[in-house]
Amino acid sequence: MHATPYLTRQVFLTLLSPVHVGCGETYDPTNYVIDEGVLYGFEPSLVWLPEQERQELRRLALKGDRTGWAAFFHRNRRSFTAQARTAVRAGREVCLNYQKLVERKGSDNQCLIERTTYTAAGDDDTAFIPGSSVKGAVHTALLERLHIGKRDVCKDDELWGKGFEKRPLRLLKVGDFMPEGPVLMRAVSAKRLAKDARGTSGRKEGIPMAIETLWPGGYRAFSSSWAIEGDRSEQGIADAYVDFQRIARDLTAFNRSKLEAELRLLEVDPKAGDWGRRVRELLGSIDPLLKRGDMALLRVGKFQGALSLRLSASDKKPPKTQTFVLNDGQVLPFGWALLEFRDEVSEPLKAWCRAWPDTQAVDLRALRQARREEETRRREEARAEDERRKAVEVAEAAEEARLAAMSDEKRRVVVLGNSLGKYSGTVNPGSDLFRAVQVLLREAATWANIEDRKFCALTLAPLVKERGMYQGKAKKELKELLNKLGSD
């Protein structure tokens, strides 16, 4: 029998530090440009380009010149930003590396940027935090409580037996955390920094990477629907959660000591000290809510550091390095957030977000309006061109029908008259067109049909004059022939 939810709750999430949930995709310089500090991601195959630019891009593609592609997209960035599906502010180091690439200054950096999880819906690529990532954190926190006081870490099968139906978290449903408004995002550089007595400003290890992150500063930036299913009597799952407050307390109990350790690590680094101080102040102001389970401390996403995912019963040595965000001289940890399990607004947390110095999201609405206007203009131009082409085809068909109904003599006159009419400038003696007129007029003088002879004179006389053909030795002959044809 399908269990029905007996507890449901809308849960809000506020970021305290950058979060990156990998999706296995990267921004590549052939699908993004950076303009005035903003990364614009787009699908290049959907961008309309004039024929000359299309030919140039085709040549670069055949050569396999990826740097050339990047430089081409940057030169034509106005066309591509108009088609952007996402816009992310970029940190200084990301912008500098990109600039070196498009200016061909010998940078060996391919300028790949790891994307965070998103859904492609409508006009936007909308970033979100998967519910499975948060539920995984709940699973770890539950294991931590069950292992308190134990020397060894037990696996799920050892705790609850084999089979999904015996897992206590089977009864907890966690929806994806979707944005409540424009998403604050940054494309930033990250490095592994040594965790030693000198703090994170000491020895650096590893190659820097560029990543797209969800950025702190938006109060209740994301929300999710949670449910705890009822009717657990048949399963007999003793460790299943019965309320959200217990979940919140488990999460805080598991994460708070790890955050405190990280704050001690960061407080000796002047580039991270301010963030640590502000977080300590915030934790002090919301401590009663954390203890009651109305709020929960959460760590989610990649680059948390192995220690943040390890149970206290583990006897493994902590890692010597951890990955941190480096954003314009600022050092920040990854993944810290707060969950709220109540409807009432937390004024201290709201004030903390207001004081965050960098809360400007990129609004694509103006770009999309410009894109819609450009697409409308192109559609109108295409429609007008199609109507013009159809009108030409109708006129050509009518002209063909008119010519078919004529005598051979009149048809020759019309064809030559069209050639004269299309010619620009003076038709000088000795040219092929001048000789063609002379030949036709001489032949017309011998035609038996008077109507055909007059038609020739009426058609060609004004054209001969317009093209300045009354000149030289031929002037007298042309006038005499036309006068003779017209007076017959």
Side-chain angles (χ1 to χ4, degrees):
M1 181 177 67
H2 178 70
T4 56
Y6 82 99
L7 279 180
T8 59
R9 168 66 61 185
Q10 185 179 20
V11 181
F12 301 98
L13 185 148
T14 301
L15 301 181
L16 300 180
S17 70
V19 166
H20 172 84
V21 183
C23 65
E25 296 183 23
T26 59
Y27 288 113
D28 181 285
T30 60
N31 63 24
Y32 79 84
V33 295
I34 294 179
D35 187 27
E36 297 182 354
V38 177
L39 181 154
Y40 296 93
F42 52 84
E43 170 50 54
S45 65
L46 301 179
V47 179
W48 181 87
L49 290 172
E51 180 61 26
Q52 182 177 350
E53 280 77 6
R54 287 203 301 273
Q55 292 294 340
E56 181 182 356
L57 185 57
R58 192 174 294 115
R59 287 194 298 270
L60 292 169
L62 291 174
K63 290 171 59 179
D65 185 359
R66 295 174 65 82
T67 303
W69 293 354
F72 171 86
F73 287 138
H74 188 70
R75 287 195 306 273
N76 297 279
R77 56 191 177 276
R78 293 293 181 263
S79 297
F80 293 98
T81 56
Q83 297 291 331
R85 291 188 57 83
T86 185
V88 182
R89 296 201 177 276
R92 181 174 57 199
E93 189 167 348
V94 173
C95 291
L96 288 175
N97 286 333
Y98 174 80
Q99 198 65 31
K100 289 179 182 177
L101 180 72
V102 299
E103 292 179 358
R104 296 177 179 266
K105 291 186 175 180
S107 173
D108 58 358
N109 190 330
Q110 295 184 358
C111 290
L112 303 179
I113 302 172
E114 296 185 21
R115 294 198 68 172
T116 196
T117 303
Y118 70 95
T119 178
D123 291 332
D124 283 326
D125 287 348
T126 303
F128 70 100
I129 299 175
S132 57
S133 296
V134 178
K135 189 173 180 179
V138 174
H139 173 260
T140 304
L142 174 60
L143 291 178
E144 172 74 2
R145 172 162 60 86
L146 297 178
H147 282 91
I148 290 177
K150 296 182 180 180
R151 298 184 60 183
D152 299 321
V153 175
C154 296
K155 297 180 179 179
D156 287 9
D157 290 352
E158 297 170 348
L159 284 171
W160 301 301
K162 294 183 178 181
F164 175 73
E165 71 280 356
K166 296 181 180 180
R167 297 291 190 268
L169 289 186
R170 178 176 68 82
L171 303 179
L172 174 64
K173 309 300 180 185
V174 178
D176 292 335
F177 280 82
M178 302 305 295
E180 290 289 297
V183 182
L184 298 177
M185 301 178 70
R186 296 291 180 272
V188 294
S189 181
K191 290 183 180 179
R192 295 190 68 82
L193 305 181
K195 299 195 295 185
D196 54 27
R198 294 171 295 170
T200 60
S201 59
R203 179 172 52 91
K204 297 180 180 179
E205 298 184 0
I207 299 173
M209 68 190 83
I211 56 172
E212 178 186 49
T213 64
L214 304 173
W215 204 246
Y219 178 63
R220 291 186 173 182
F222 301 87
S223 69
S224 166
S225 296
W226 290 31
I228 296 176
E229 292 187 344
D231 191 15
R232 301 187 314 283
S233 57
E234 294 182 6
Q235 291 81 16
I237 303 176
D239 296 322
Y241 284 110
V242 297
D243 59 56
F244 297 108
Q245 285 69 31
R246 175 75 269 184
I247 297 174
R249 290 196 297 270
D250 281 354
L251 283 169
T252 300
F254 177 73
N255 288 298
R256 188 153 191 175
S257 61
K258 294 173 171 55
L259 176 57
E260 292 290 348
E262 194 157 272
L263 289 173
R264 289 192 296 271
L265 175 69
L266 290 170
E267 66 186 5
V268 298
D269 192 321
K271 296 178 180 178
D274 184 62
W275 180 85
R277 176 187 59 77
R278 295 182 65 241
V279 169
R280 285 188 185 280
E281 293 174 353
L282 174 63
L283 292 177
S285 64
I286 63 174
D287 188 64
L289 297 174
L290 292 171
K291 289 179 178 178
R292 282 202 307 268
D294 290 334
M295 297 181 71
L297 186 62
L298 171 72
R299 197 164 206 186
V300 67
K302 292 182 66 177
F303 310 120
Q304 301 179 31
L307 188 61
S308 291
L309 302 173
R310 187 171 296 161
L311 302 183
S312 58
S314 171
D315 60 357
K316 295 181 180 179
K317 294 182 180 180
K320 295 181 180 180
T321 63
Q322 184 172 328
T323 303
F324 290 90
V325 172
L326 300 177
N327 181 60
D328 299 341
Q330 183 183 27
V331 174
L332 295 171
F334 277 95
W336 290 108
L338 284 170
L339 296 177
E340 291 184 84
F341 290 86
R342 63 174 196 163
D343 295 330
E344 293 83 357
V345 170
S346 170
E347 292 299 337
L349 180 55
K350 194 172 183 180
W352 190 92
C353 291
R354 283 199 301 268
W356 187 261
D358 189 11
T359 59
Q360 185 178 6
V362 181
D363 191 351
L364 283 174
R365 286 177 296 184
L367 278 176
R368 292 211 177 89
Q369 179 61 30
R371 182 174 72 193
R372 284 191 288 268
E373 291 174 357
E374 176 65 15
E375 289 173 348
T376 299
R377 183 186 65 79
R378 286 205 299 270
R379 283 195 300 270
E380 289 298 320
E381 288 181 351
R383 183 184 60 78
E385 176 60 22
D386 187 57
E387 291 179 352
R388 186 200 66 79
R389 180 181 55 79
K390 290 179 178 178
V392 169
E393 290 175 353
V394 170
E396 289 176 347
E399 180 65 9
E400 288 178 3
R402 187 172 74 91
L403 289 174
M406 291 180 178
S407 65
D408 290 341
E409 290 79 6
K410 283 185 177 179
R411 189 179 305 114
R412 290 179 61 193
V413 171
V414 170
V415 170
L416 183 58
N418 288 341
S419 297
L420 282 171
K422 293 177 182 178
Y423 190 86
S424 59
T426 301
V427 178
N428 294 313
S431 66
D432 291 342
L433 190 54
F434 196 100
R435 286 195 294 270
V437 172
Q438 285 179 308
V439 169
L440 182 61
L441 290 178
R442 290 166 184 168
E443 291 183 9
T446 66
W447 291 346
N449 190 304
I450 296 176
E451 182 183 349
D452 288 345
R453 294 200 298 271
K454 288 186 175 181
F455 178 81
C456 180
L458 290 172
T459 301
L460 296 184
L463 292 171
V464 167
K465 183 178 181 180
E466 287 176 12
R467 295 295 172 262
M469 296 177 66
Y470 291 130
Q471 56 179 299
K473 296 178 180 180
K475 176 179 179 181
K476 181 178 179 181
E477 181 189 15
L478 291 177
K479 286 189 174 183
E480 288 178 350
L481 286 172
L482 288 169
N483 287 333
K484 182 176 184 304
L485 293 171
S487 62
D488 285 345

